[in-house]
């Protein structure tokens, strides 16, 4: 595991990025005249509002961004009414709730679980993978056994409501992701703490009625989430296969490294996905990014993608800019 000794290097690292809409030269973040918006937490979709509140409790008292994002995304994970994340998530076509999650800290450490069943908080298991194993990713039965060994409890994640929705779906059994409908939706969260460090987390039950064994972008470092503490972080939501094909979140962070604002960086990634398709019907993808200055932005293919922001001055749900009207 990368240890804290790297912090000094991070603090003095060079960086070219945009601070509150302005282009800044390399090294600007190590100079004290740049106003940094911190702490700040951003997360995808409406459920990000409540999730941000949980993260904020940790951030405002000087806690670590990593702890904040883990606590934040656990709010929708444990809410049975949220049908696209954790407990209560819609199942695959065999009626099984399978979960994907990953987490990444300011030192570049990361942990991930995919195709995990019976565990209410996959993000907490992902963090254990990061901190307690020499690996980055565990999947399926192996991830489940690892979770049990770490003290997690086996639980039934299929609520009566999600089971009823699945039985209804079985009558026609057509797999059809729908733009902005909560048969999918991931919570991706990024936080910049008072210390100026960024971490991120991403967790989902994936696309409803997927083939048993399907894994999307959300547990894949570089696709559903990427953090580089010298630059910023990004998360993705929407049709995971499209995000994986362009290494979406890594691309967003690289765009910020090349001087783009968070929104511009997200837009370029969206355009890359769009350029691969003649027909974008039913393909929604959104990216959300946060940079080292606490500047944030998002962009999606279609309207309807929103994200929650909490910082010392703001507590809002914002609509992302987008390419097309659905
Ligand atoms: N990206 C998620 C997946 O493909 C779903 C979503 O965010 O809508 O599993």
């Amino acid at each position: 595991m990368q240890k804290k000794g790297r912090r000094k290097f991070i603090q003095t690292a060079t960086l070219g990025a945009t601070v509150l809409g302005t282009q800044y030269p390399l090294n600007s973040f190590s100079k004290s005249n740049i106003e940094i918006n911190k702490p700040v937490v951003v997360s995808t979709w409406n459920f990000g509002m409540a999730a941000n509140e949980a993260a904020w409790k940790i951030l405002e008292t000087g806690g670590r961004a990593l702890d904040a994002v883990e606590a934040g995304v656990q709010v929708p994970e444990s809410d049975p009414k949220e049908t696209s994340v954790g407990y209560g998530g819609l199942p695959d076509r065999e009626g099984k709730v399978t979960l994907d999650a990953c987490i990444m800290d300011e030192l570049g450490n990361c942990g991930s679980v995919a195709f995990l069943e019976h565990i209410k908080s996959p993000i907490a298991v992902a963090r254990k993978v990061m901190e307690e194993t020499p690996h980055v990713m565990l999947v399926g039965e192996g991830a489940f056994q690892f979770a049990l060994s770490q003290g997690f409890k086996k639980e039934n994640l299929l609520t009566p409501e999600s089971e009823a929705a699945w039985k209804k779906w079985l009558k026609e059994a057509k797999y059809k992701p729908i733009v902005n409908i909560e048969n999918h939706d991931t919570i991706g969260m990024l936080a910049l703490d008072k210390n100026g460090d960024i971490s991120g987390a991403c967790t989902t039950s994936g696309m409803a009625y997927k083939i048993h064994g399907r894994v999307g972008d959300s547990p894949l470092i570089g696709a559903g989430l990427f953090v580089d503490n010298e630059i910023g972080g990004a998360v993705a939501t929407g049709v995971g296969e499209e995000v994986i094909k362009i290494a979406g979140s890594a691309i967003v962070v690289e765009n910020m490294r090349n001087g783009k604002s968070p929104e511009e960086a997200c837009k370029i990634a969206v355009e890359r996905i769009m350029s691969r398709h003649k027909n974008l019907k039913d393909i929604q993808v959104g990216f959300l990014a946060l940079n080292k200055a606490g500047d944030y932005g998002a962009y999606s293919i279609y309207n309807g993608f929103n994200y929650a922001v909490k910082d010392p001055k703001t507590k809002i749900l914002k609509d992302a800019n987008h390419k097309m009207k659905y």
Side-chain angles (χ1 to χ4, degrees), residues 165-311:
W166 166 61
K167 288 197 168 139
K168 193 167 163 219
W169 176 82
L170 277 179
K171 289 187 183 137
E172 278 204 30
K174 273 198 197 129
Y175 179 71
K176 190 174 183 298
I178 304 167
V179 170
N180 300 329
I181 299 287
E182 284 164 11
N183 63 349
H184 54 98
D185 289 359
T186 296
I187 181 147
M189 177 178 277
L190 301 160
L192 175 70
D193 61 28
K194 281 190 177 169
N195 202 37
D197 288 324
I198 299 181
S199 292
C202 187
T203 175
T204 189
S205 51
M207 309 299 280
Y209 320 128
K210 60 196 173 185
I211 294 174
H212 187 60
R214 180 263 189 190
V215 168
D217 60 314
S218 306
L220 301 181
I221 298 295
L225 166 71
F226 195 67
V227 172
D228 181 332
N229 202 40
E230 293 170 13
I231 306 298
V235 288
T237 183
V239 178
E241 284 75 4
E242 299 304 323
V243 177
I244 294 170
K245 287 172 192 167
I246 66 151
S249 292
I251 289 288
V252 173
V253 172
E254 288 312 295
N255 290 334
M256 292 196 287
R257 191 191 304 279
N258 292 331
K260 300 295 180 204
S261 72
E263 181 178 321
E264 285 165 347
C266 293
K267 186 176 177 202
I268 292 168
V270 160
E271 285 168 347
R272 191 165 298 181
I273 291 175
M274 293 180 72
S275 69
R276 304 182 68 258
H277 291 274
K278 285 203 178 76
N279 181 1
L280 280 153
K281 195 171 171 294
D282 301 325
I283 300 180
Q284 169 70 311
V285 172
F287 292 101
L288 169 63
L290 173 70
N291 73 13
K292 217 29 197 169
D295 193 11
Y296 51 81
Y299 207 86
S300 54
I301 297 178
Y302 289 105
N303 60 311
F305 171 45
N306 53 20
Y307 62 102
V309 180
K310 174 94 179 131
D311 65 18

Side-chain angles (χ1 to χ4, degrees), residues 58-59 63-70 106 191-193 197-200:
I58 292 169
L59 293 172
R64 191 177 169 200
L66 182 71
D67 295 324
V69 295
E70 182 187 18
E106 75 279 12
L192 175 70
D193 61 28
D197 288 324
I198 299 181
S199 292

